[in-house]
Amino acid sequence: MTKRVLITGAAGFLGSHLCDRFIAEGFRVVAMDNLITGDLKNIEHLFGKERFEFYHHDVTTFVHVAGRLDYILHFASPASPIDYLKIPIQTLKVGSLGTHNLLGLAKEKKARILIASTSEVYGDPLVHPQREDYYGNVNTIGPRGVYDEAKRFQESITMAYHRFHGMETRIARIFNTYGPRMRLNDGRVIPAFIGQALRGEDLTVFGDGQQTRSFCYVNDQIDGLFRLLMSDYTLPVNIGNPDEISILDFAEEIIKLTGTDQKIVFKPLPKDDPLQRQPDITKAREILDWEPKVDRAEGMAKTYEYFKNLSLEDLLKSEHKDFSKHIRK
Ligand code: NAD
Ligand code: UDP
C-alpha cells in the first residue's frame, strides 16, 4: 500500500525539497505550514497532484490529520538567525509545543517520526569538528538561545517519547545547508551575499570573517535525511558537508562566482555567532552509507543560477500569489 508521510514546514526551503523527494519516491504527501517564513511558491508545482495535499496550519496548536500516517518529518521552525531573532517566542513554541504535538500525533498514528535538529545544539563549539557525543556550549539566555534551546528541548522530548512510549524516532542534526528556494532576504549568508552581488551592493562580512562554516548542498542533505528516516538508528546523526571555509574566503568565492565588482565591508559579529563549525560525519558514513557528493563549486553554481533567474520583484521582495483553492482548512 502507498505510504503516507506528513511534512511540517513544507513550504520552506528544506520542507519543499523533502516534498519533492517523497513524491518522487511514490509516497502520499501531507504538507503542513503556517507560512510564517515559508512561501507557497516553493510547492506550487505540486498542487493538483493526486498524491499531494496541503494544510495551512500552525503546529503549535493541536495537529489533526485524518487517516493513516506512516511517517512524520517535523521541519517547521524559523531557521535563520534573522528570522528567529524577529520571532523568538514562535521559535521557542514550534520547537517545544509543536514538537510535543507532532510526537503525540506520531504516537496516535503509530508513525515513525524524524525531527529536524541542528548543529546549533553544539552552540559555539569547544570541540572541533563536532561529533554527536559532544554536549555543546550554548548560551541559554543569549539571543540565539531561543532557537538553540528549543532544538535541544526537541531532542530531549523526542528521546523521552522513544524511551517511555517505545516510539520509532529519528534525530537529524542538520549543518548549514543551501540551494534553490532559500529565501533571498532570510539573512543567511548565502542568500545574503548572492542578493548583495545581484543588487550591486557591497558584501557584508560579519566580524573579521575568520569564523568558519561547512556548507552542504540541498540534494545531498535530502538524501541523508531520507536514509536516516529509513534506517533503524535512534540516536542523533550529523548530516552536513565537512568541507569547511572561513566566511571571508567564502565572500571572495562569491565575488569570483558572480563577477561582481563590489567590495567586502566588515560589520559587527552578531552575539554568540559560532566561531567554527564542521560536522564529523563518521556516523552518517557508517550507519547510512551516506556522504555528500556535490562540492561547493557545483552547488554554488546551481544556487547562483536559481537566484539569477528570479525576477527583479522577487529579488527585492517576494510577491504573493493567491493559492487559496489548494489549501485545506
Ligand atoms: P525555512 O524557514 O525555509 O522553513 C521553515 C518552514 O516552517 C517555513 O515554511 C515556515 O513557514 C514553517 N513554520 C514555522 N513555524 C511554523 C509553525 N508554527 N507551524 C507550521 N509551520 C511553521 O527553513 P529551512 O531552512 O527549510 O529549515 C527547516 C528545518 O530545518 C527547521 O526546523 C530548521 O531548524 C532545520 N535546519 C535547517 C538548516 C539549514 O541550513 N537550512 C540547518 C539546521 C537545521
Ligand atoms: N554572515 C556574514 N554576513 C552576512 C550574513 C552572515 O558574515 O551578511 C556570517 C554570520 O555571522 C555567520 C556565517 O556568516 O558567521 C553564517 O551565518 P548564517 O546566518 O548563514 O547561519 P549560522 O550558521 O550563523 O546559523
Side-chain angles (χ1 to χ4, degrees):
M1 198 198 280
T2 310
K3 300 278 188 204
R4 192 158 178 253
V5 57
L6 168 66
I7 299 174
T8 74
F13 165 50
L14 291 181
S16 65
H17 285 280
L18 283 169
C19 289
D20 286 345
R21 173 71 186 255
F22 280 87
I23 287 289
E25 296 279 346
F27 287 71
R28 293 192 171 279
V29 173
V30 181
M32 188 172 282
D33 204 295
N34 70 350
L35 305 181
I36 194 165
T37 62
D39 192 325
L40 287 179
K41 275 193 290 187
N42 292 335
I43 46 174
E44 177 180 10
H45 57 286
L46 297 174
F47 288 147
K49 281 200 190 295
E50 193 264 320
R51 283 185 286 111
F52 184 80
E53 53 193 313
F54 176 76
Y55 290 85
H56 186 196
H57 182 72
D58 178 346
V59 301
T60 66
T61 63
F62 185 80
V63 183
H64 170 73
V65 175
R68 69 176 241 270
L69 281 177
D70 301 286
Y71 301 104
I72 297 176
L73 293 108
H74 178 32
F75 277 66
S77 169
S80 88
I82 296 264
D83 284 343
Y84 55 77
L85 297 184
K86 234 185 308 181
I87 43 175
I89 315 283
Q90 288 93 330
T91 303
L92 281 158
K93 284 173 72 176
V94 73
S96 54
L97 306 181
T99 305
H100 186 212
N101 287 335
L102 289 154
L103 285 163
L105 180 67
K107 178 162 148 278
E108 170 69 25
K109 302 281 187 189
K110 299 184 172 47
R112 181 181 298 176
I113 181 168
L114 181 149
I115 59 135
S117 186
T118 164
S119 52
E120 287 283 330
V121 300
Y122 302 120
D124 189 3
L126 305 176
V127 166
H128 192 75
Q130 292 78 56
R131 287 163 40 119
E132 289 86 348
D133 56 8
Y134 175 50
Y135 294 161
N137 175 39
V138 171
N139 176 3
T140 57
I141 56 167
R144 296 175 88 105
V146 297
Y147 181 68
D148 302 6
E149 290 301 335
K151 291 290 184 179
R152 288 168 69 98
F153 173 85
Q154 182 180 52
E155 291 197 2
S156 303
I157 191 171
T158 299
M159 286 310 295
Y161 267 71
H162 167 69
R163 293 197 181 105
F164 190 74
H165 293 301
M167 281 172 49
E168 290 192 35
T169 57
R170 305 286 179 266
I171 299 176
R173 289 194 182 146
I174 300 169
F175 281 64
N176 295 64
T177 300
Y178 70 97
R181 301 190 195 147
M182 292 187 96
R183 214 173 74 237
L184 201 54
N185 61 352
D186 81 0
R188 285 186 270 195
V189 68
I190 291 180
F193 283 174
I194 293 184
Q196 287 162 345
L198 289 172
R199 290 189 299 268
E201 298 166 3
D202 290 336
L203 271 62
T204 53
V205 166
F206 298 161
D208 59 7
Q210 292 312 307
Q211 71 274 27
T212 66
R213 294 295 185 271
S214 308
F215 298 110
C216 181
Y217 189 63
V218 62
N219 290 10
D220 283 333
Q221 179 63 243
I222 297 298
D223 192 48
L225 294 167
F226 190 84
R227 284 168 187 247
L228 177 59
L229 179 70
M230 296 307 160
S231 78
D232 54 12
Y233 192 74
T234 304
L235 297 176
V237 180
N238 289 338
I239 305 191
N241 189 325
D243 186 7
E244 186 182 10
I245 184 170
S246 78
I247 295 301
L248 185 57
D249 289 348
F250 185 59
E252 303 282 3
E253 280 192 3
I254 298 272
I255 288 174
K256 280 208 196 88
L257 172 70
T258 60
T260 175
D261 47 16
Q262 300 300 312
K263 53 182 194 319
I264 291 171
V265 292
F266 293 91
K267 301 270 177 191
L269 188 69
K271 183 157 174 48
D272 298 332
D273 196 297
L275 292 183
Q276 48 181 6
R277 182 180 292 159
Q278 182 190 37
D280 180 322
I281 59 164
T282 309
K283 253 198 194 189
R285 282 197 172 104
E286 285 173 6
I287 296 166
L288 310 179
D289 189 23
W290 174 89
E291 64 180 7
K293 295 195 166 57
V294 181
D295 67 17
R296 200 168 52 248
E298 183 187 350
M300 284 304 299
K302 288 185 175 147
T303 306
Y304 180 48
E305 197 56 32
Y306 167 79
F307 282 118
K308 224 172 34 181
N309 289 326
L310 295 180
S311 64
L312 188 62
E313 210 173 351
D314 278 323
L315 197 56
L316 300 173
K317 189 168 148 281
S318 177
E319 132 224 23
H320 283 283
K321 289 195 194 169
D322 181 11
F323 292 103
S324 46
K325 72 177 194 305
H326 299 290
I327 298 177
R328 308 217 171 154
K329 297 285 182 198

